Coordinates of all heavy atoms in Angstrom, one line a residue:
L627 N -39.2 -101.4 38.2 CA -39.0 -100.1 37.7 C -38.3 -99.9 36.5 O -38.7 -99.1 35.6 CB -38.2 -99.3 38.8 CG -39.0 -99.1 40.2 CD1 -38.1 -98.4 41.1 CD2 -40.2 -98.1 40.0
F693 N -59.5 -50.5 -26.7 CA -58.8 -51.5 -27.4 C -57.2 -51.4 -27.0 O -56.8 -50.3 -26.8 CB -59.0 -51.4 -28.9 CG -60.3 -51.8 -29.4 CD1 -61.2 -50.7 -29.5 CD2 -60.7 -53.1 -29.6 CE1 -62.5 -51.1 -29.9 CE2 -61.9 -53.4 -30.1 CZ -62.9 -52.3 -30.2
E723 N -60.0 -56.4 -26.8 CA -60.9 -55.5 -26.3 C -60.9 -55.5 -24.8 O -60.9 -56.6 -24.1 CB -62.3 -55.9 -26.8 CG -63.4 -54.9 -26.4 CD -64.8 -55.3 -26.9 OE1 -65.3 -56.3 -26.3 OE2 -65.4 -54.7 -27.8
G816 N -48.6 -35.1 10.3 CA -47.9 -34.3 9.3 C -48.6 -34.2 8.0 O -49.6 -34.8 7.7
P851 N -44.9 -47.1 -12.5 CA -43.4 -47.3 -12.5 C -42.7 -45.9 -12.1 O -43.4 -44.9 -12.0 CB -43.1 -47.8 -13.8 CG -44.1 -47.2 -14.7 CD -45.5 -47.3 -13.8
P868 N -37.4 -30.7 -18.5 CA -37.5 -30.0 -19.8 C -36.9 -30.9 -20.9 O -35.8 -31.5 -20.7 CB -36.8 -28.8 -19.6 CG -36.8 -28.5 -18.1 CD -36.8 -29.8 -17.4
N875 N -51.4 -42.4 -22.5 CA -51.7 -43.3 -21.3 C -50.5 -43.8 -20.6 O -50.6 -44.9 -19.9 CB -52.5 -44.4 -21.9 CG -53.8 -44.0 -22.6 OD1 -54.5 -43.1 -22.2 ND2 -54.1 -44.8 -23.7
R942 N -41.1 -77.8 -10.3 CA -40.3 -76.8 -9.5 C -40.1 -75.5 -10.4 O -41.1 -74.9 -10.7 CB -38.9 -77.3 -9.1 CG -39.0 -78.4 -8.1 CD -37.6 -78.8 -7.6 NE -37.8 -79.9 -6.7 CZ -37.9 -79.7 -5.3 NH1 -38.0 -78.5 -4.9 NH2 -38.0 -80.8 -4.5
G954 N -39.7 -96.0 -21.1 CA -38.9 -97.1 -20.9 C -37.6 -96.8 -20.1 O -37.3 -95.6 -19.8
Q978 N -32.4 -89.2 -30.7 CA -33.3 -89.7 -31.8 C -34.7 -89.6 -31.3 O -35.1 -90.1 -30.2 CB -33.0 -91.1 -32.2 CG -33.9 -91.6 -33.4 CD -33.6 -93.0 -33.7 OE1 -33.6 -93.9 -32.8 NE2 -33.4 -93.3 -35.0
E981 N -41.7 -90.5 -31.3 CA -43.1 -90.1 -30.9 C -44.0 -91.4 -30.9 O -44.1 -92.1 -31.8 CB -43.6 -89.1 -31.9 CG -44.8 -88.4 -31.4 CD -45.3 -87.2 -32.3 OE1 -44.5 -86.9 -33.2 OE2 -46.3 -86.6 -32.1

Side-chain angles (χ1 to χ4, degrees):
L627 288 176
F693 294 92
E723 188 181 69
N875 299 323
R942 297 184 182 274
Q978 182 185 45
E981 190 172 354

